[in-house]
Amino acid sequence: NFMLTQPHSVSESPGKTVTISCTGSGGNIASNYVQWYQQRPGSAPTTLIYEDNQRPSGVPDRFSGSIDSSSNSVSLTISGLKTEDEADYYCQSFDITTGVVFGGGTKLTVL
Amino acid sequence: QVHLVESGGGLVKPGGSLRLSCVASGFIFGDYSMSWIRQAPGKGLEWVASISSSSVSANYADSVKGRFTISRDNAQNSLFLQMRSLTDEDTAVYYCARAVYPLSSGYSNWGQGILVTVSS
């Protein structure tokens, strides 16, 4: 089965840049688009990135997505960190056999 | 502006049934595939089921296959999830979500979620 693996947690200081990885196993991550979602405590998820690197309207360009086919992984980069960026982040993709797949989520602490 | 509003959650005993609804507005509902995604307390997101725009195809996670049924009524801009033979492992907040594009496997909009608690 296709799986997406994320680090359990990351932390960084305000104003800095952080990168969250999402590594595919059991399939080629480049075969289907990857999305990234942000979930603040007590709230529903919101979409940050779709189709690997596209931002919905209203999402600041501090958030960017990229893909590294050589390592079968994608990354979410957040620059100019703000305390309001403290949240859980999930990557998501699709596999023809497994269906819709979510990563386990990464808790970002901004301190 | 896209709005998705879930309803129908609550407390149900193990082995019981529940039907969730999601009413959509702000877009042409019948053009987009829709999904249900859940989140158990303190856990990550888990895809549950998806249905195509015209209900031609429906797909389920192995954990709910044979127990849950996803359906939709495009005339009423509504998505449903019929849940049967519920166990405590089905306790979660259930979100409905709209595809980014009509055939996309990613999501652009989420509802606020509805809590389903399975307990005796």
Side-chain angles (χ1 to χ4, degrees):
Chain A
N1 279 3
F2 183 63
M3 294 176 57
L4 296 172
T5 301
Q6 302 179 231
H8 181 69
S9 63
V10 296
S11 62
E12 190 50 271
S13 303
K16 299 291 189 179
T17 297
V18 69
T19 297
I20 299 172
S21 63
C22 171
T23 303
S25 60
N28 183 357
I29 202 166
S31 295
N32 288 283
Y33 287 123
V34 174
Q35 283 63 231
W36 288 94
Y37 307 105
Q38 177 191 64
Q39 186 178 32
R40 293 191 173 104
S43 297
T46 60
T47 303
L48 282 179
I49 299 289
Y50 65 95
E51 293 186 347
D52 295 341
N53 54 21
Q54 302 300 301
R55 279 187 308 276
S57 60
V59 173
D61 60 7
R62 301 188 297 109
F63 296 89
S64 63
S66 61
I67 183 168
D68 182 351
S69 299
S70 65
S71 60
N72 208 36
S73 67
V74 295
S75 297
L76 172 70
T77 299
I78 310 172
S79 60
L81 273 171
K82 302 181 178 184
T83 54
E84 68 200 47
D85 297 333
E86 195 160 281
D88 293 328
Y89 293 83
Y90 295 89
C91 58
Q92 174 262 316
S93 190
F94 174 83
D95 176 76
I96 192 68
T97 302
T98 311
V100 174
V101 179
F102 285 94
T106 299
K107 181 177 179 60
L108 170 63
T109 301
V110 182
L111 38 64
Chain B
Q1 191 173 2
V2 173
H3 277 115
L4 301 170
V5 180
E6 302 94 339
S7 61
L11 176 64
V12 60
K13 288 182 167 51
S17 299
L18 208 58
R19 189 191 196 214
L20 303 183
S21 300
C22 171
V23 176
S25 61
F27 66 102
I28 302 174
F29 181 73
D31 282 354
Y32 291 84
S33 61
M34 298 290 295
S35 296
W36 289 99
I37 295 129
R38 69 184 180 183
Q39 186 170 36
K43 303 296 184 181
L45 301 172
E46 179 190 15
W47 169 71
V48 173
S50 298
I51 187 168
S52 62
S53 58
S54 57
S55 303
V56 168
S57 65
N59 297 284
Y60 300 89
D62 288 344
S63 58
V64 306
K65 203 172 292 183
R67 300 187 300 121
F68 289 12
T69 301
I70 189 172
S71 62
R72 63 191 296 163
D73 182 341
N74 288 346
Q76 298 294 323
N77 292 340
S78 295
L79 176 73
F80 306 102
L81 185 68
Q82 178 68 53
M83 304 185 293
R84 299 182 175 88
S85 302
L86 288 162
T87 74
D88 56 359
E89 294 186 347
D90 298 314
T91 294
V93 173
Y94 285 73
Y95 298 99
C96 68
R98 194 203 85 171
V100 176
Y101 295 120
L103 297 180
S104 171
S105 60
Y107 307 109
S108 57
N109 302 89
W110 300 67
Q112 84 286 354
I114 191 76
L115 177 63
V116 171
T117 303
V118 183
S119 175
S120 54

